[in-house]
Amino acid sequence: MECGALLSRALSGDQAAALEFVHRLTPTIRARARRFIARLGRDRASRFDLDDLVQDIWCDILNDGAQALRRFDPQRNPSVEFFVLLLADRRLSHLYDSEFRTEKRSI
């Protein structure tokens, strides 16, 4: 089953579809999070655990009844996978900004 169909079923309350959706997209989110950590440099990267970061991204995406996923519009986004990566990038950007602000204040 394609991710778009899984998303529709998951948002309709199908827990098996929701688990499959998360299972299918977790490797993609993990790769994005791994690149994020790698770009931070050794000093900053030590503040992040990959598994925790992936979990944080999923929590952000699924927060408030998966409101972020409910905004998926196939007319505006090429695929569900692309949209989920946009959401992951948004979360990683917020984390980077908060980390940078914390670091800047301590200087």
Side-chain angles (χ1 to χ4, degrees):
M1 181 179 305
E2 66 145 350
C3 282
L6 279 173
L7 177 59
S8 289
R9 290 180 56 192
L11 293 176
S12 296
D14 183 337
Q15 289 210 352
L19 289 172
E20 178 63 24
F21 182 79
V22 169
H23 178 75
R24 196 173 294 180
L25 290 174
T26 293
T28 304
I29 289 176
R30 179 177 295 283
R32 188 61 57 103
R34 187 177 293 120
R35 275 191 300 260
F36 168 79
I37 290 171
R39 283 183 290 177
L40 291 176
R42 183 171 285 158
D43 293 339
R44 290 183 187 164
S46 64
R47 299 177 190 172
F48 294 99
D49 175 76
L50 180 60
D51 291 330
D52 289 343
L53 194 53
V54 170
Q55 183 176 7
D56 185 77
I57 291 167
W58 273 119
C59 286
D60 188 61
I61 290 171
L62 299 173
N63 191 28
D64 292 328
Q67 286 302 312
L69 287 173
R70 292 180 191 282
R71 291 192 305 265
F72 173 69
D73 179 359
Q75 302 299 324
R76 298 180 65 202
N77 297 287
S79 69
V80 172
E81 296 89 338
F82 177 79
F83 185 68
V84 168
L85 282 176
L86 287 176
L87 296 173
D89 286 344
R90 182 187 70 183
R91 181 64 184 150
L92 292 170
S93 177
H94 288 298
L95 288 170
Y96 180 82
D97 290 345
S98 67
E99 196 64 30
F100 181 71
R101 271 187 256 123
T102 301
E103 192 174 281
K104 202 171 182 180
R105 284 186 194 136
S106 66
I107 293 178

